[in-house]
Every structure is written in structure tokens, then in C-alpha cells.
């Protein structure tokens, strides 16, 4: 592997991790607040199933975000003419 390739992958992976954690924390706080609000106004548990769907979506979006970070790293390596096959 090219010496610069690992540095580029680590750079973009760190970027994806940092932004994913911030987005996850914000989304979780938002959903917890929404859940608390629904509890206080007396919405039935069955009607709150949408919250569970949103949490599952959050997990899928985290995986997509990680894949985007690695795709950007690969694009960076292509632009710098770094081949992973060497």
C-alpha cells in the first residue's frame, strides 16, 4: 500500500467518525425530547412506534455516513494518483 494512502484513509475516517458522533448525539437528544413530550401529553405507546422506526433509521444513516467517509478517502487518493494495488 502506498505510504500516503493510510494517512488519507485515517484522515477521512476520523472526519466521518467525528461528524457521525455529533449527528447521533443530536438526533438521540431530539428523539428523547420528543419521547418525553409525548409521554407528558399522554400519547399511547402504539402511536409512538414511529420513534422506533426513527432510531432504526439513525443506525442505517450512521453506516451510510461511514461509507461516505471512506468513499471520500478513495476519491482523495484517486485525485492524488495513489493506487491501493501497489
Amino acid at each position: 500500500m502506498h505510504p500516503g494512502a493510510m494517512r488519507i484513509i485515517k484522515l477521512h475516517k476520523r472526519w466521518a467518525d467525528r461528524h457521525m458522533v455529533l449527528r447521533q448525539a443530536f438526533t438521540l437528544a431530539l428523539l428523547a425530547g420528543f419521547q418525553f413530550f409525548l409521554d407528558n401529553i399522554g400519547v399511547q405507546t402504539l402511536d409512538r412506534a414511529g420513534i422506533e422506526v426513527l432510531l432504526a433509521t439513525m443506525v442505517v444513516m450512521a453506516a451510510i455516513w461511514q461509507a461516505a467517509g471512506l468513499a471520500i478517502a478513495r476519491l482523495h487518493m484517486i485525485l492524488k494518483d495513489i493506487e491501493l494495488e501497489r
Side-chain angles (χ1 to χ4, degrees):
M1 182 179 287
H2 189 276
M6 190 55 70
R7 184 184 59 77
I8 291 171
I9 291 172
K10 284 181 181 179
L11 170 76
H12 291 289
K13 179 73 170 114
R14 240 187 343 262
W15 171 83
D17 288 345
R18 185 173 39 250
H19 286 284
M20 182 196 63
V21 168
L22 290 174
R23 191 185 59 78
Q24 292 279 35
F26 173 73
T27 305
L28 194 56
L30 184 67
L31 289 175
F34 190 65
Q35 184 78 6
F36 179 74
F37 173 72
L38 291 176
D39 278 342
N40 283 337
I41 64 171
V43 174
Q44 296 296 321
T45 305
L46 243 170
D47 296 330
R48 290 186 275 166
I51 298 268
E52 303 301 324
V53 172
L54 286 175
L55 286 172
T57 304
M58 193 169 92
V59 170
V60 170
M61 289 304 296
I64 291 170
W65 192 256
Q66 290 294 310
L70 292 176
I72 291 170
R74 180 64 185 133
L75 182 62
H76 188 163
M77 286 185 279
I78 289 171
L79 292 175
K80 293 217 178 254
D81 200 29
I82 297 173
E83 289 296 323
L84 293 177
E85 308 301 318
R86 289 187 223 174

